[in-house]
Amino acid sequence: MPDTFSAPILPDATLGMLGGGQLGRMFTIAARTMGYRVMVLDPDPASPAGQLADVHLLADYRDPGALQQMASQCAAITTEFENVPAATLDYLAAHRPVKPDAAAVSIAQDRVAEKQWLTRYGFATAPFAIINTAGEIAAACAKIGFPAVLKVSRMGYDGKGQARVSDEAQVRAAFAAMGGEICVLESLLALECELSVVLGRNKAGEIARYPVSENIHESGILTMSIVPARVSGALAEAALETAAAIATRLDYCGVLAVEFFIVGGGQPLVNEIAPRPHNSGHFTLDACLSSQFEMQVRTLCNLPLGATIQHTPAVMVNLLGDVWHDNGQPNWAALLEHPETKLHIYGKQNARPGRKMGHYTCLDASLNKALAQALQIRARLGGEDNHD
Ligand SMILES: Nc1ncnc2c1ncn2[C@@H]1O[C@H](COP(=O)(O)OP(=O)(O)OP(=O)(O)O)[C@@H](O)[C@H]1O
Ligand SMILES: [Mg+2]
C-alpha cells in the first residue's frame, strides 16, 4: 500500500512481531526498553518472545482473527523468521506498514529464488544447479561435480535439510530422503573462512553497517562469531559493499544479514541472506552503540538509523542444548566469574542437542584475549566441575 506512514512511530505505540523465537525475544526487549508495546504472534505457548511481550497471540501464522487483531492494534509489523507465509505478510501489508516487505522475505525463504535473484543481479555465489525432479539429478551432478552439498530449497535452517554428497547415488538417496522437494546442488567449497554483514536500511536508502563478523560453524550450526573479522581491510570492505548493494537492489527496509563464503583469496561469495537480525549479529548487543534489535525497532518506526560503532572487540559463542547434560544447568559459575563476559539466555524450556538456548559474548580491548576467554569458558561450561 502507499506509505502514508513515513512519520516516526513513537513510544508507546504497539509493534507487531511475527514469530516468538529468540530473535523476536531480543527485539521485544529492545522495543520495550524504548517504551514501545509489543504484540507477538506465535503458536507456541512457551515461546521465548511471547513470555516477554505485552500481548502474546497464541495462534497459527495464518489465523484470520489473530491477523486482524495485529492489523488493528499494531502501528507497524516486522518478522523474526523468513518462513512466514506470504499470504500473512500480504494481508498485514494491506493494513499496516510491514518491514521487510513480502518481496524480500519471499526471496530469502526460498534458496532457488534467492540464488536466481543473486545471479540475475551479478552477486557471485558458489556454483549451483537446481533439481526440481529426480530426472534432473544426472545433469545437475554433471554440471557441479563432487564433493557437493544438496540443500532443500525451503524451510532449512541450522544445517537441517542439507546433505554432503560425493557421488550421484548419494544425491539420489538424499533427494529422496528430503521427500523429493525442490533442491539446490551446490559445490562443496574449501572455505578459507565465513563472514557475515548485518546492516540496517531505511526508506530513504540510508544504510548503517555493522563491522564484519567472522563465523565459525560446526555441523552446519554457527558456534562462534569473532568481530571484527580477522581478514584484510579490502576483503572486509568487499563484504560490506556487497551486502549494501544487495540491500539497495532489494530496496530493502529493515535489518538485513548477508552470509559469505571466502575461498582462495577471491571475492566474497554470497551464501544466503536473512531478512532479519542474525545470530552472527548478537555481538552488537554488548559491543556496539546500538544493537541489531534496536536497529530493527528504529527501521520499523522510521527513526534515524542506529549507531553501529563497535566500542570493544567481541567473541560471541552460542550455547547449544548440548551443554545442558541430562537437562542439568551448565557450569554458570565458570562464565559469570568474568565480568567482561555477557550472558544471554532465551527462556527455552527443553535443552535439546543442537538447540540454541542462549549465547555469551566475551569483550576485551584485545580480540585475542576475548577469543582465549571465550574458548576457556567453553571448555569449562560443560566440563567436569559442573555441579548442577
Ligand atoms: N557449499 C558449501 N561449501 C562449504 N560449506 C558449506 C556449503 N554450504 C554450507 N556449508 C556449511 O554449512 C553451513 C550452513 O549452511 P547454510 O547457511 O546454507 O544453511 P542453513 O541451514 O540455512 O543455516 P542457517 O540458516 O543457520 O544459516 C555454512 O555456514 C557452512 O559452514
Ligand atoms: Mg546459513
Side-chain angles (χ1 to χ4, degrees), residues 111 151 157-159 162 186-187 189 194 259 271-272:
R111 279 189 202 281
K151 300 183 179 181
Y157 69 99
D158 287 349
Q162 299 199 6
E186 205 174 285
S187 297
L189 304 172
E194 293 186 69
E259 299 177 10
N271 172 26
E272 56 179 358

Side-chain angles (χ1 to χ4, degrees), residues 17-29 32 38-42 44-56 80 346-348:
M17 167 52 74
L18 297 165
Q22 64 267 20
L23 299 178
R25 179 184 175 99
M26 290 182 268
F27 168 88
T28 299
I29 293 170
R32 293 198 64 173
V38 178
M39 180 181 280
V40 166
L41 174 60
D42 190 302
D44 177 1
S47 84
Q51 295 164 21
L52 302 185
D54 293 273
V55 182
H56 178 188
E80 62 128 32
Y346 305 150
K348 297 183 184 178

Side-chain angles (χ1 to χ4, degrees), residues 22 44 46 48 51 160 221 318-332 345-358 386 388:
Q22 64 267 20
D44 177 1
Q51 295 164 21
K160 297 192 176 78
I221 306 179
N318 270 338
L319 289 165
L320 301 180
D322 310 58
V323 285
W324 273 252
H325 298 297
D326 304 320
N327 263 332
Q329 291 293 309
N331 181 6
W332 293 133
I345 291 295
Y346 305 150
K348 297 183 184 178
Q349 281 168 349
N350 298 315
R352 291 188 297 273
R355 191 175 196 205
K356 290 174 179 169
M357 302 296 291
N386 178 14
D388 304 325

Side-chain angles (χ1 to χ4, degrees), residues 65-383:
L67 296 181
Q68 198 265 334
Q69 211 175 324
M70 275 198 123
S72 64
Q73 292 182 26
C74 297
I77 298 154
T78 186
T79 178
E80 62 128 32
F81 74 128
E82 46 272 41
N83 293 320
V84 179
T88 294
L89 294 173
D90 288 340
Y91 170 84
L92 292 172
H95 298 84
R96 296 290 173 180
V98 175
K99 297 175 190 172
D101 64 20
V105 175
S106 68
I107 290 170
Q109 71 183 198
D110 184 319
R111 279 189 202 281
V112 168
E114 185 176 66
K115 290 236 181 329
Q116 288 174 330
W117 185 90
L118 289 165
T119 305
R120 178 172 342 129
Y121 292 108
F123 298 107
T125 67
F128 69 94
I130 297 162
I131 301 178
N132 292 292
T133 64
E136 295 174 3
I137 289 176
C141 294
K143 178 178 171 195
I144 300 305
F146 295 100
V149 198
L150 186 74
K151 300 183 179 181
V152 72
S153 185
R154 298 179 72 91
M155 302 299 271
Y157 69 99
D158 287 349
K160 297 192 176 78
Q162 299 199 6
R164 297 194 174 194
V165 285
S166 47
D167 59 36
E168 191 174 320
Q170 288 183 3
V171 178
R172 288 191 188 282
F175 185 75
M178 290 179 199
E181 299 270 332
I182 298 172
C183 284
V184 172
L185 185 69
E186 205 174 285
S187 297
L188 182 69
L189 304 172
L191 300 179
E192 217 159 75
C193 70
E194 293 186 69
L195 304 177
S196 60
V197 172
V198 176
L199 58 78
R201 185 174 184 275
N202 64 16
K203 284 188 116 28
E206 295 164 333
I207 293 178
R209 317 175 308 182
Y210 289 101
V212 179
S213 171
E214 174 186 345
N215 302 322
I216 316 286
H217 290 79
E218 288 166 17
S219 309
I221 306 179
L222 179 71
T223 51
M224 195 182 290
S225 290
I226 302 166
V227 198
R230 297 165 301 173
V231 297
S232 72
L235 183 55
E237 192 53 34
L240 289 164
E241 285 298 315
T242 303
I246 289 172
T248 300
R249 175 53 78 178
L250 284 168
D251 196 18
Y252 191 87
C253 192
V255 173
L256 178 78
V258 181
E259 299 177 10
F260 294 98
F261 291 150
I262 307 303
V263 285
Q267 64 175 327
L269 304 175
V270 179
N271 172 26
E272 56 179 358
I273 63 179
R276 51 169 170 80
H278 194 262
N279 193 168
S280 68
H282 290 352
F283 75 95
T284 62
L285 285 162
D286 299 306
C288 293
L289 288 192
S290 27
S291 75
Q292 60 173 347
F293 302 101
E294 179 179 339
M295 186 73 86
Q296 191 177 17
V297 174
R298 285 178 164 274
T299 51
L300 184 62
C301 295
N302 302 314
L303 301 174
L305 295 172
T308 52
I309 294 163
Q310 182 179 5
H311 51 73
T312 314
V315 176
M316 189 278 325
V317 182
N318 270 338
L319 289 165
L320 301 180
D322 310 58
V323 285
W324 273 252
H325 298 297
D326 304 320
N327 263 332
Q329 291 293 309
N331 181 6
W332 293 133
L335 186 152
L336 294 170
E337 72 188 32
H338 300 289
E340 63 290 358
T341 293
K342 303 291 178 179
L343 177 62
H344 298 259
I345 291 295
Y346 305 150
K348 297 183 184 178
Q349 281 168 349
N350 298 315
R352 291 188 297 273
R355 191 175 196 205
K356 290 174 179 169
M357 302 296 291
H359 71 268
Y360 62 92
T361 302
C362 297
L363 300 156
D364 197 287
S366 151
L367 183 60
N368 282 338
K369 281 192 188 149
L371 181 55
Q373 183 160 108
L375 294 172
Q376 188 218 53
I377 290 171
R378 195 173 178 217
R380 290 184 63 202
L381 266 184

